[in-house]
Amino acid sequence: MADRSLRGMRLGAQSLQSEEGVVFSDRERYIYLCPKCGHETALVFAAEAEAPDTWECRNCGEAAVLMVGTEPIELEPSEAKQARTHWDMLLERRSREELQVLLDERLDYLRERRGQKKVGA
């Protein structure tokens, strides 16, 4: 019985496809340099693809800049990504007057729960 058992391959162990007749697309290698930690990141893109101006540094997470030759490209100030804070996003939805009204309402509610009187009243 052992001599007649079926033998197979482990799943995923080896591909049965070959690279015969496959034409790979042209590729280009780009270097990104992190201005904060000095780490260089090498990436490969398709030749017809446009490489982004910045790439996240794998070491520190800052924006690494694309190198052209031995010099980094010059980023325009508008291209530099400005981090939006929670406060900035809140001000996009509400005015300062609306926020003041909400704050006063919430403080009055908390004071009532604690049994305190409103200051100045």
Side-chain angles (χ1 to χ4, degrees):
M1 173 110 172
D3 58 335
R4 292 185 292 160
S5 65
L6 294 174
R7 294 186 182 212
M9 294 176 52
R10 283 183 276 163
L11 195 62
Q14 182 180 4
S15 174
L16 298 176
Q17 294 180 340
S18 69
E19 294 181 4
E20 186 176 315
V22 175
V23 178
F24 292 103
S25 64
D26 294 331
R27 299 163 195 235
E28 289 191 36
R29 186 172 185 258
Y30 294 95
I31 305 289
Y32 290 86
L33 178 66
C34 178
K36 184 176 180 182
C37 68
H39 180 254
E40 283 190 359
T41 303
L43 298 172
V44 177
F45 292 100
E48 62 270 4
E50 184 177 331
D53 292 339
T54 60
W55 194 267
E56 184 177 335
C57 178
R58 294 176 182 167
N59 279 359
C60 65
E62 290 293 318
V65 181
L66 178 64
M67 300 290 287
V68 176
T70 58
E71 295 294 319
I73 63 169
E74 292 293 325
L75 293 177
E76 294 178 16
S78 62
E79 292 181 41
K81 186 177 179 183
Q82 295 294 325
R84 285 179 22 196
T85 64
H86 291 357
W87 180 248
D88 294 332
M89 290 184 267
L90 185 62
L91 288 177
E92 290 175 6
R93 296 189 308 270
R94 306 227 184 220
S95 68
R96 287 184 180 263
E97 293 79 24
E98 290 175 313
L99 291 172
Q100 187 62 47
V101 169
L102 290 172
L103 176 63
D104 292 339
E105 288 175 3
R106 190 65 184 167
L107 288 174
D108 288 342
Y109 169 75
L110 290 173
R111 287 183 185 119
E112 286 176 16
R113 266 187 51 198
R114 293 182 182 166
Q116 297 175 351
K117 293 183 181 179
K118 186 175 180 182
V119 176

